[in-house]
Amino acid sequence: MRRQLTIISVLLLQAIFALADESAVPDRLVGAITYSTRTSAYVDVGRDKGAFIGARFDVIQDEKIVARLQVTDLASGHSVCAIENSSLPLRAGLTVRLSLLTTPPRDAIQSGSGSTVLDDRSESRKKSSPRRGKNRRWLSQHGIRGRASIRFIAVDDRTGDGEDYTQPALNLKLSSERIGTSDWGVEIDLRSRRTYRVRTNGETPSEGRTRIYRLSTSWNPGRAQYRITVGRQVSPSLAAVSVFDGLLARRAGKGIGYGILAGTQPDSKHYGLSGEIFEYGLFAEYKGKTPPGNRYSMTVGAIGTYLHGDIDREYLFLQTRLNRGRWMATLSQQADWNRGWRREMEDHALTPTNTFLLARVAITPQFSIDGGYDNRRSIRLYRSLETPETEFDDTYRQGIWGGVTQKLWKRNRIAFRVRARDGGSSPGTHSQTLSTSWGFPRFTGLRIRTRNTRYRNTRSVGWLHSWTLGANLGDRISTDVTYGIRREERIGDSSDNDRLAWTAIDFDFRVASYWYVNLSGETSEGQDEASRSLYSSASYRF
């Protein structure tokens, strides 16, 4: 732990002594929404493509502007935007385009290539300005983004058979693709918590846990197309690769990119450094787009993990994404390459182990269809050979879902979903869900959401209902109240019924420009469950 804290200190010192950053702003940018909430949206256009703080994006659907976003936080590959106005709920895949209303920073000048860049002399004036030096967003001005937060959870068990516990926690997350005008970047994700329990026998044990999920520094000289990252990291382009400690070298051109990785997997129990499992891999990716905003990408690669020099797992993977305005599709496929001891236990040299497909089609601007398929199976690792007595379930956990969504006017919608899951050791489950969402912005942002689900598995059949009423109390406070009930009946025994009801209330406060506070409380009452819980958090975003 002392060694890890030393590394954190070095990275923080590197961030503190970095200079101010530079940005580039092309005349017109096109991208897509990758994730959205009620108040914000993530866009796949970042600093590397020319976005800047304060830039405005138009959200386009069927060649019409349906919403407007403003960039509040920036990274090299994406932007976080506040939703200024919207005529419909935003979703991933919608096209965004730099608004004609966007005005570049006053200190922007035209370069010889036609793009807009910031004047270094203006940056020097900013750095020397006493007013800027006192600005609490100093880190953001120097290309460092992130948040620091404290969190507290308390659960009061009311059955008399369980245990109460409280859990305070501290989180720190920061990242920078380029600290100021230097060639170095940094990424840190540190989470620490302590749990205090009160058991029915009077014992009061406590335990603490600190985990480092990201701790890396990267080097990207000038505006070179390659980047070298060292430390604990996860590559966002490689969904098949989990956290690893080591090196990632990557080259990303306009269309084609490739890279290699090498390192070790962290200890699974304490998440510390470990030399038991080594991991190596290589990959190639291709990204492209065609007017008017159609985008596609594909990543292929091979990964191998080795336990004390023996084969643990070797596999190939494919990830592809297509977006053509009204429809989008995502496909991910893994296939294990069986050789050595694995070939003796498998029937084929190549075994598909994971298939994931997600697709959505907008038939009209108001009516859409979506569906997905997930077919995963247990992965045979080296420990399966060492402990043959351990039950190994190599069946497939199959899941398939589909649904339709109908938008009503601007802020209302009704959706119907069907889901089915089967395979593995868990019982097969089938469910049907009808959900609605209604918005009344003229009445203090009043909103109503409902959900009704019918489900059935091999053991029981039941209903789940929930109703949520929400409103905005001014510009800084948002609240939601939810009541839900679940009724379940054991198949073959009508006398064995279970009923669970819960009530929850949530408050979100924007205390200041960069401070956010959340308070949530919930109480539940059922045949075998009764509890009260409280959740609170405060975060500072920079």
Side-chain angles (χ1 to χ4, degrees):
M1 187 63 192
R2 183 178 301 172
R3 181 180 179 183
Q4 294 172 343
L5 292 176
T6 302
I7 299 175
I8 293 177
S9 302
V10 173
L11 293 175
L12 290 177
L13 287 174
Q14 182 184 37
I16 292 174
F17 289 104
L19 299 177
D21 64 318
E22 298 181 10
S23 302
V25 184
D27 294 333
R28 200 76 159 144
L29 302 176
V30 176
I33 294 176
T34 58
Y35 178 75
S36 65
T37 66
R38 290 181 304 176
T39 59
S40 62
Y42 287 72
V43 176
D44 63 355
V45 176
R47 185 183 301 107
D48 288 350
K49 293 184 179 180
F52 56 90
I53 297 293
R56 285 180 167 84
F57 286 98
D58 295 329
V59 182
I60 310 298
Q61 179 171 293
D62 301 324
E63 300 181 359
K64 297 180 180 179
I65 298 176
V66 297
R68 179 155 291 144
L69 314 175
Q70 183 175 23
V71 177
T72 57
D73 287 294
L74 196 64
S76 65
H78 71 273
S79 301
V80 182
C81 306
I83 301 176
E84 291 190 334
N85 57 71
S86 176
S87 61
L88 50 80
L90 301 183
R91 57 174 174 80
L94 286 177
T95 300
V96 299
R97 184 176 59 199
L98 189 67
S99 174
L100 293 174
L101 300 178
T102 293
T103 302
R106 289 187 307 169
D107 46 11
I109 58 174
Q110 281 300 116
S111 67
S113 60
S115 62
T116 308
V117 299
L118 296 181
D119 188 351
D120 291 337
R121 293 168 297 178
S122 299
E123 287 295 310
S124 299
R125 289 194 298 269
K126 288 182 181 180
K127 288 181 284 185
S128 61
S129 170
R131 182 171 179 268
R132 292 271 180 178
K134 296 180 180 180
N135 195 306
R136 58 183 171 182
R137 298 206 61 171
W138 183 89
L139 290 174
S140 297
Q141 293 171 359
H142 289 74
I144 302 174
R145 309 290 174 180
R147 66 176 180 268
S149 62
I150 57 175
R151 186 192 67 186
F152 180 80
I153 300 175
V155 177
D156 175 25
D157 178 76
R158 303 173 64 190
T159 64
D161 299 326
E163 61 181 24
D164 305 336
Y165 75 87
T166 57
Q167 186 184 90
L170 295 172
N171 297 333
L172 172 64
K173 184 175 182 179
L174 64 85
S175 64
S176 176
E177 295 287 341
R178 187 181 296 276
I179 304 174
T181 56
S182 71
D183 296 333
W184 295 90
V186 65
E187 186 169 14
I188 297 176
D189 187 352
L190 175 65
R191 309 176 195 181
S192 180
R193 73 186 190 193
R194 189 159 192 87
T195 305
Y196 302 88
R197 304 180 186 274
V198 179
R199 293 176 176 170
T200 55
N201 59 6
E203 295 181 352
T204 57
S206 64
E207 60 177 353
R209 191 178 80 171
T210 299
R211 296 287 185 269
I212 298 176
Y213 294 92
R214 304 283 194 283
L215 183 60
S216 64
T217 182
S218 59
W219 181 57
N220 177 219
R223 296 192 177 274
Q225 294 181 337
Y226 62 87
R227 178 182 295 273
I228 299 175
T229 305
V230 179
R232 176 159 294 181
Q233 58 188 295
V234 169
S235 174
S237 300
L238 306 177
V241 179
S242 59
V243 177
F244 73 99
D245 300 307
L247 177 143
L248 172 65
R250 179 179 180 181
R251 182 192 183 279
K254 292 184 178 180
I256 300 177
Y258 50 84
I260 59 173
L261 63 92
T264 61
Q265 293 185 2
D267 174 58
S268 58
K269 184 177 181 180
H270 301 290
Y271 232 61
L273 295 174
S274 174
E276 288 191 352
I277 300 179
F278 282 80
E279 186 170 48
Y280 308 95
L282 53 89
F283 62 93
E285 53 189 355
Y286 177 75
K287 296 181 181 180
K289 61 181 180 179
T290 58
N294 298 330
R295 292 170 306 282
Y296 46 90
S297 64
M298 177 181 293
T299 304
V300 296
I303 305 293
T305 60
Y306 305 90
L307 177 62
H308 300 304
D310 295 305
I311 298 174
D312 188 51
R313 186 188 179 200
E314 295 175 327
Y315 62 98
L316 310 174
F317 68 90
L318 165 69
Q319 298 169 200
T320 182
R321 178 183 176 89
L322 304 173
N323 191 325
R324 293 182 60 85
R326 287 196 174 188
W327 67 270
M328 60 81 65
T330 298
L331 171 65
S332 176
Q333 176 68 63
Q334 295 181 25
D336 278 35
W337 178 28
N338 302 312
R339 65 187 185 97
W341 67 269
R342 293 173 58 95
R343 186 66 179 90
E344 299 175 359
M345 304 182 71
E346 294 283 354
D347 296 331
H348 306 284
L350 202 63
T351 306
T353 50
N354 182 299
T355 303
F356 180 82
L357 174 64
L358 177 66
R360 183 184 185 277
V361 180
I363 306 301
T364 69
Q366 292 77 33
F367 183 77
S368 61
I369 301 174
D370 62 85
Y373 175 71
D374 189 357
N375 187 15
R376 296 174 296 170
R377 58 165 286 182
S378 299
I379 305 302
R380 194 181 297 277
L381 301 176
Y382 188 72
R383 60 178 176 269
S384 303
L385 176 67
E386 291 183 331
T387 57
E389 70 276 10
T390 303
E391 180 181 358
F392 180 81
D393 182 7
D394 62 354
T395 57
Y396 290 76
R397 298 185 300 274
Q398 298 178 337
I400 187 170
W401 63 93
V404 295
T405 300
Q406 175 67 54
K407 298 175 183 177
L408 306 173
W409 302 287
K410 290 184 178 181
R411 299 179 181 272
N412 310 313
R413 65 177 179 85
I414 182 170
F416 181 73
R417 297 282 185 276
V418 177
R419 293 178 180 271
R421 186 188 65 187
D422 203 354
S425 57
S426 60
T429 302
H430 303 267
S431 66
Q432 304 84 38
T433 299
L434 177 67
S435 61
T436 64
S437 176
W438 311 90
F440 308 93
R442 294 184 179 180
F443 300 94
T444 65
L446 184 68
R447 51 191 177 271
I448 301 173
R449 297 190 300 273
T450 68
R451 174 186 174 181
N452 299 276
T453 298
R454 173 75 169 176
Y455 64 92
R456 183 185 182 93
N457 54 42
T458 57
R459 303 191 186 105
S460 59
V461 59
W463 280 94
L464 184 147
H465 309 280
S466 70
W467 302 268
T468 299
L469 176 65
N472 298 327
L473 308 179
D475 297 332
R476 295 179 178 269
I477 303 177
S478 175
T479 182
D480 288 285
V481 178
T482 300
Y483 175 76
I485 185 171
R486 187 193 71 198
R487 294 188 178 93
E488 190 171 290
E489 178 181 319
R490 183 76 62 175
I491 296 178
D493 186 0
S494 59
S495 63
D496 187 5
N497 298 329
D498 185 21
R499 180 184 183 274
L500 175 68
W502 70 93
T503 304
I505 183 169
D506 298 280
F507 285 96
D508 293 323
F509 303 87
R510 184 165 63 89
V511 180
S513 299
Y514 316 118
W515 282 97
Y516 298 85
V517 176
N518 172 262
L519 294 174
S520 301
E522 179 182 306
T523 178
S524 62
E525 190 78 33
Q527 180 178 347
D528 301 318
E529 179 181 344
S531 65
R532 292 178 297 189
S533 61
L534 173 68
Y535 173 87
S536 62
S537 67
S539 62
Y540 175 75
R541 302 181 183 182
F542 49 86

